[in-house]
Amino acid sequence: MAFSPPSKPLILALLVLAAGCDRQSAPAPQPSASSAAAEALTGQIDRSHHGARMPDLTFKDAKGQELRLTSLVGRPVLVNVWATWCGPCVAELPTLAKLATSPGAPRVVTVSEDMGEPGKVGAFLAQRGLTALPGWLDPENSASSQYNLETLPTTIYYDKAGREVWRYVGGHDWSGAEARTMLAEAH
């Protein structure tokens, strides 16, 4: 008996049957925007670098203005290392902007690890109304190298003497009660 290949209509029918079409069960619901944002803002505190000196790093903005990190010693500083392509980074930015404008808050320095067009980060922040966060750039990834970062976002908190208090690995809600308690550790 000779074998003859199946016809195209038969192949298409088999593919439709194999793929299935289960109309009896409803698809799993998509997570809500608020639960997705909450999931993005989960991370953990790391105190293993407590007491380390603030590194002498310099960042630039799109206009070429420079910020020398060690020039900020004298006031608590929260350094957030992030990127525009990082979901948890973007999710926590509004809470960092809120913190940056809160009375008595530490100085908030957001450092983007984005490479390429320098104006991209400033435009990204402006489009989202996050004008309280200057677009500091680190195209050479010197912050990631200095801090041995494996995860973005990572936020490093320094006391007014320029000593590391802790770092937070992953996204976080910087406007909540837990953040206020954590930030009080440097006072």
Side-chain angles (χ1 to χ4, degrees):
M1 177 191 249
F3 175 77
S4 61
S7 68
K8 285 184 182 179
L10 178 60
I11 292 173
L12 287 174
L14 288 172
L15 286 173
V16 168
L17 287 174
C21 184
D22 183 4
R23 296 187 187 262
Q24 295 175 359
S25 61
Q30 294 285 333
S32 68
S34 60
S35 69
E39 187 174 309
L41 296 179
T42 56
Q44 61 185 14
I45 200 162
D46 174 2
R47 297 178 189 280
S48 65
H49 304 275
H50 182 81
R53 287 191 183 278
M54 181 185 287
D56 191 15
L57 297 172
T58 301
F59 307 112
K60 292 184 179 183
D61 66 10
K63 297 177 184 172
Q65 264 190 316
E66 291 188 349
L67 172 69
R68 188 172 180 184
L69 195 55
T70 55
S71 73
L72 303 176
V73 172
R75 175 179 175 189
V77 178
L78 191 71
V79 178
N80 176 264
V81 184
W82 70 288
T84 59
W85 45 262
C86 165
C89 300
V90 174
E92 76 175 351
L93 285 173
T95 68
L96 284 165
K98 184 176 179 181
L99 176 64
T101 59
S102 298
R107 170 80 184 261
V108 177
V109 177
T110 53
V111 179
S112 172
E113 296 293 292
D114 283 89
M115 296 180 195
E117 186 182 329
K120 173 182 171 181
V121 172
F124 181 90
L125 293 169
Q127 288 171 351
R128 287 160 178 74
L130 302 172
T131 55
L133 302 175
W136 296 113
L137 308 170
D138 184 29
E140 304 299 320
N141 294 321
S142 57
S144 286
S145 297
Q146 178 68 43
Y147 293 124
N148 295 317
L149 301 184
E150 294 179 9
T151 302
L152 291 180
T154 294
T155 304
I156 302 93
Y157 189 43
Y158 293 99
D159 63 18
K160 62 184 177 183
R163 298 286 188 167
E164 185 170 327
V165 178
W166 45 255
R167 57 183 69 183
Y168 198 89
V169 181
H172 191 65
D173 177 356
W174 297 103
S175 63
E178 179 185 12
R180 283 190 296 278
T181 300
M182 291 166 48
L183 294 170
E185 292 181 39
H187 293 272

